[in-house]
């Protein structure tokens, strides 16, 4: 599907973007592996989270969607299964850890994009615990076979919440204690949720320590709106008007984009700050602002990894030369996002040079617009749509359906778009 996006001189309003993808995956997956029943409200119903639900059903859990509410009954015991993880890296990597040590044989696969992404990064540390994880030349399909697990100290090797989470989930079924260390802090939704469900898990200066054997108990979860989805509307607000996004998850491991807003001169405020189901939440208001260039390095990258395409787009409208470095992880996302982000900005008429680990972006006052290819990547499609809405002439997003991975209804909320 192609969608035309019209230029918008001004853009504003109040938005409730869909539920957080990372938290929805975990709420469905962990409850499906726990004892009892739970209700997950304001869940993301995008394709990635439906893939998680389908996999957990295949493993024996009972899961039903009613709008944005998900009813989950945990599986007493997993059964052998073939799991189609679709486009979802979080589903395949977390599941590899969750099913290891549970006495089942599970084959995990997905679409062509997922089957081209690295899986040894998760298989290797799981093997240190004794897991039997077989990849296909380092990629999916991945087969996990029965094995007994023993706790040990494990370095994730890469700043990846998916890898960290897989090890933590496997550690629940291991004998003794597992200590997980990561090179830079990544999103900690797994740690928070497992603690609330009764796991013996502690974070301290050394890393995250999990003691195996505790049984998880189902917990209801009210999912905050996804800051990664809010980012598109906040960015358009900064470029074209005033935007309020309500009920957004502002876990400090996810709010790197707000630190970038400060550095770029974006005027914004957090209102109504509160905690919901163990996660910090706030309303975020952004005003139209004059943007200045930024320099971002590897320390901040994990806290804004999924927002880099839209941050790069903002840089294309900012005064001066921006440099984003230390972001080589973008090469192994749903697309090679160093290439696809640079191509998206070039298609809009911007000036973005890809580097080995990021971009150099020379900002312009205006961008002409044009036709942007999504390359099947939801975040490229939505960043491109924001760029078109802020451009002089607008243009077309080619292959726009992929927004349904993380943000069904995106174009309706954006307005001024025609399929
Ligand atoms: C996610 C972790 C990140 C992120 C992805 C969701 C998660 O991936 O990019 O969209 O839910 O744990 P990595 O673990 O590969 O950094």
């Amino acid at each position: 599907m192609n969608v035309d996006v019209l230029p918008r001189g001004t853009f504003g309003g109040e938005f409730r973007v869909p539920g957080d993808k990372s938290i929805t995956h975990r709420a469905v997956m962990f409850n499906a592996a726990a004892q009892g029943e739970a209700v997950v409200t304001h869940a993301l119903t995008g394709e990635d989270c439906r893939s998680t639900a389908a996999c957990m059903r295949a493993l024996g859990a009972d899961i039903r969607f009613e709008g944005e509410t998900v009813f989950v009954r945990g599986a007493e015991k997993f059964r052998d299964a073939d799991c189609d993880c679709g486009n979802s890296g979080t589903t395949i990597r977390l599941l590899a850890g969750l099913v290891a040590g549970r006495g089942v044989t599970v084959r995990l696969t997905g679409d062509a994009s997922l089957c081209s992404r690295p899986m040894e990064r998760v298989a290797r540390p799981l093997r240190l615990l004794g897991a039997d994880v077989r990849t296909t030349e380092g990629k999916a399909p991945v087969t996990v076979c029965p094995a007994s697990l023993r706790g040990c100290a494990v370095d994730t090797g890469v700043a990846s919440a998916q890898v960290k989470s897989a090890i933590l989930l496997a550690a629940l079924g291991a004998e003794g204690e597992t200590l997980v260390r990561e090179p830079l802090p990544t999103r900690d939704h797994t740690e928070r949720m497992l603690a609330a469900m009764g796991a013996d898990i502690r974070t301290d200066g050394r890393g995250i320590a999990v003691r195996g054997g505790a049984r998880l108990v189902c917990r209801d979860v009210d999912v905050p709106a996804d800051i990664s989805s809010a980012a598109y509307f906040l960015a358009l607000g900064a470029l074209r008007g005033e935007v309020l996004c309500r009920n957004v998850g502002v876990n400090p491991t996810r709010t790197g984009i707000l630190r970038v807003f400060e550095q770029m001169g974006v005027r914004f405020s957090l209102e109504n700050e509160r905690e919901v189901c163990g996660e910090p939440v706030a309303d975020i208001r952004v005003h139209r602002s004059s943007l200045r260039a930024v320099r971002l390095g590897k320390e901040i990258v994990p806290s804004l990894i999924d927002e880099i395409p839209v941050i790069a787009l903002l840089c294309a409208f900012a005064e001066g030369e921006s440099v984003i470095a230390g972001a080589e992880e973008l090469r192994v996302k749903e697309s090679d996002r160093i290439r696809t982000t640079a191509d998206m900005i070039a298609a809009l008429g911007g000036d973005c040079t890809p580097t080995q680990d990021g971009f150099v972006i020379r900002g312009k006052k205006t961008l002409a617009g044009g036709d942007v290819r999504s390359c099947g990547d939801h975040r490229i499609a939505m960043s491109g749509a924001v760029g078109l809405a802020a451009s002089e002439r607008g243009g077309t997003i080619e292959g726009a359906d992929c927004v349904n991975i993380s943000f069904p209804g995106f174009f309706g909320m954006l307005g001024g778009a025609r399929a």
Side-chain angles (χ1 to χ4, degrees):
M1 182 181 71
N2 292 347
V3 172
D4 296 331
V5 180
L6 300 174
R8 311 284 287 269
T10 61
F11 179 87
E14 201 179 304
F15 300 93
R16 279 180 186 270
V17 304
D20 188 278
K21 183 154 80 72
S22 292
I23 296 176
T24 302
H25 278 303
R26 287 161 173 80
V28 171
M29 189 184 287
F30 302 174
N31 275 308
Q35 203 164 31
E37 295 183 16
V39 182
V40 182
T41 41
H42 301 110
L44 174 64
T45 60
E47 287 168 13
D48 267 11
C49 296
R50 290 193 183 269
S51 294
T52 287
C55 292
M56 299 319 292
R57 279 190 206 108
L59 287 165
D62 202 355
I63 298 170
R64 185 166 54 84
F65 281 77
E66 253 177 45
E68 292 178 344
T69 302
V70 192
F71 298 88
V72 185
R73 179 166 339 113
E76 292 283 305
K77 218 173 145 323
F78 286 161
R79 58 188 178 220
D80 293 351
D82 243 338
C83 294
D84 182 357
C85 304
N87 190 245
S88 176
T90 305
T91 309
I92 195 165
R93 297 206 178 104
L94 268 61
L95 267 183
L98 181 67
V99 301
R102 285 193 178 238
V104 283
T105 301
V106 178
R107 184 173 175 274
L108 303 163
T109 189
D111 68 9
S113 155
L114 191 62
C115 288
S116 72
R117 297 177 65 185
M119 293 300 150
E120 273 300 316
R121 55 174 51 198
V122 71
R124 208 176 303 118
L126 291 174
R127 287 187 202 115
L128 292 177
L129 291 160
D132 183 349
V133 184
R134 302 167 196 181
T135 64
T136 308
E137 289 172 21
K139 312 228 159 106
V142 175
T143 304
V144 185
C145 299
S148 310
L149 309 189
R150 289 168 313 279
C152 63
V154 190
D155 289 307
T156 61
V158 58
S160 160
Q162 293 174 357
V163 173
K164 171 180 68 175
S165 300
I167 304 167
L168 295 175
L169 291 167
L172 294 174
E175 199 184 302
E177 188 176 88
T178 302
L179 179 66
V180 185
R181 295 178 294 229
E182 48 183 352
L184 286 168
T186 62
R187 63 191 69 191
D188 64 359
H189 308 302
T190 295
E191 295 90 306
R192 288 172 186 253
M193 204 177 287
L194 289 180
M197 296 174 80
D200 183 351
I201 181 166
R202 277 165 293 113
T203 303
D204 60 29
R206 297 176 312 145
I208 307 135
V210 184
R211 191 160 277 288
R215 214 157 142 68
L216 297 184
V217 180
C218 284
R219 280 272 174 272
D220 292 348
V221 180
D222 188 21
V223 182
D226 197 327
I227 192 166
S228 302
S229 298
Y232 305 108
F233 289 89
L234 299 175
L236 197 48
L239 291 169
R240 290 289 173 267
E242 185 177 325
V243 161
L244 176 66
C245 285
R246 289 224 183 258
N247 213 34
V248 182
V250 288
N251 178 316
T253 59
R254 296 284 300 279
T255 48
I257 189 169
L258 300 181
R259 281 180 276 150
V260 173
F261 280 179
E262 275 161 16
Q263 291 169 37
M264 293 189 88
V266 174
R267 294 182 297 132
F268 74 96
S269 55
L270 295 195
E271 300 168 8
N272 199 12
E273 289 183 66
R274 57 210 184 270
E275 193 165 303
V276 179
C277 296
E279 289 280 350
V281 173
D283 302 338
I284 308 178
R285 188 184 298 276
V286 164
H287 302 268
R288 185 177 193 142
S289 310
S290 304
L291 306 181
R292 48 178 187 263
V294 275
R295 282 179 176 263
L296 305 179
K298 74 169 193 286
E299 282 73 23
I300 200 170
V301 164
S303 65
L304 46 67
I305 183 72
D306 295 334
E307 290 70 76
I308 292 179
V310 75
I311 289 171
L313 176 82
L314 281 179
C315 293
F317 283 97
E319 170 147 11
E321 183 179 276
S322 295
V323 179
I324 301 177
E328 57 274 8
E329 271 296 297
L330 294 177
R331 297 245 179 236
V332 291
K333 293 295 177 188
E334 287 85 328
S335 67
D336 171 352
R337 282 191 186 148
I338 293 190
R339 185 178 59 75
T340 53
T341 298
D343 288 351
M344 176 263 294
I345 291 173
L348 293 165
D351 182 349
C352 175
T353 307
T355 63
Q356 192 52 38
D357 63 347
F359 316 91
V360 177
I361 305 153
R362 284 158 292 270
K364 295 184 176 181
K365 278 206 168 56
T366 62
L367 300 187
D371 296 341
V372 177
R373 288 192 299 129
S374 73
C375 301
D377 186 330
H378 53 133
R379 303 213 184 274
I380 300 299
M382 291 187 277
S383 302
V386 170
L388 290 177
S391 71
E392 285 167 34
R393 296 200 310 264
T396 303
I397 301 292
E398 296 172 4
D401 332 38
C402 57
V403 302
N404 293 326
I405 291 287
S406 65
F407 199 153
F410 169 78
F411 287 105
M413 222 179 259
L414 184 67
R418 204 177 48 237

